Amino acid sequence: MLTPEFIAQMKTRLEDEKARLERDLADIGHKDPKRPNHYDTAYPESGSNSDDDNAMEIAEFTDDMSLEAKLENELRDTNKALEAIEKGKYGVCKYCGKEIDQKRLEARPTSSSCIQCK
């Protein structure tokens, strides 16, 4: 059984991760006021209109869009784990209802399934 101390430790880790993810997302875009937990990637402007600069801007924007999607997914999983803590369901497999191994949660605090169901 997961101890209250362990859950508190995981909550702290998850809150720290959430803050980091939100900072990283803010570095490449801004929150979309119409869609919660969604960010819009900012288009990088170099100030030049040369073909090379335009190509670099498009490449950077494309990379940032991919990064944004990855970070948003991580943020979603982190928020779900924090919600599970608040509801007293953290560490319970969403498929079979059995407890998720503590070592799995230490390695991946956002885990929502046990190894067998994964």
Side-chain angles (χ1 to χ4, degrees), residues 11-88:
K11 182 177 182 180
T12 299
R13 282 183 60 189
L14 288 162
E15 288 171 340
D16 290 347
E17 181 66 2
K18 178 180 178 174
R20 183 194 65 80
L21 290 166
E22 288 175 340
R23 276 192 312 273
D24 289 351
L25 282 161
D27 285 346
I28 60 172
H30 58 278
K31 278 189 173 186
D32 182 343
K34 296 177 184 170
R35 298 186 328 190
N37 298 318
H38 180 74
Y39 287 72
D40 288 323
T41 305
Y43 189 83
E45 289 287 344
S46 66
S48 173
N49 281 331
S50 74
D51 288 343
D52 287 343
D53 285 339
N54 288 340
M56 277 187 6
E57 289 171 358
I58 291 169
E60 183 180 339
F61 182 66
T62 303
D63 289 346
D64 285 351
M65 284 179 60
S66 295
L67 178 59
E68 175 200 328
K70 179 183 180 299
L71 292 173
E72 281 180 349
N73 286 337
E74 290 178 22
L75 181 59
R76 181 200 64 226
D77 291 347
T78 301
N79 284 331
K80 284 183 181 179
L82 287 167
E83 288 173 22
I85 289 173
E86 294 305 314
K87 293 178 180 177

Side-chain angles (χ1 to χ4, degrees), residues 82-102:
L82 287 167
E83 288 173 22
I85 289 173
E86 294 305 314
K87 293 178 180 177
K89 297 183 185 241
Y90 182 73
V92 177
C93 178
K94 67 181 179 181
Y95 299 109
C96 69
K98 294 180 183 173
E99 187 173 288
I100 300 171
D101 186 69
Q102 184 171 324

Side-chain angles (χ1 to χ4, degrees), residues 104-116:
R104 176 165 170 74
L105 292 171
E106 287 172 345
R108 188 170 180 267
T110 58
S111 294
S112 61
S113 63
C114 66
I115 290 289
Q116 292 79 14

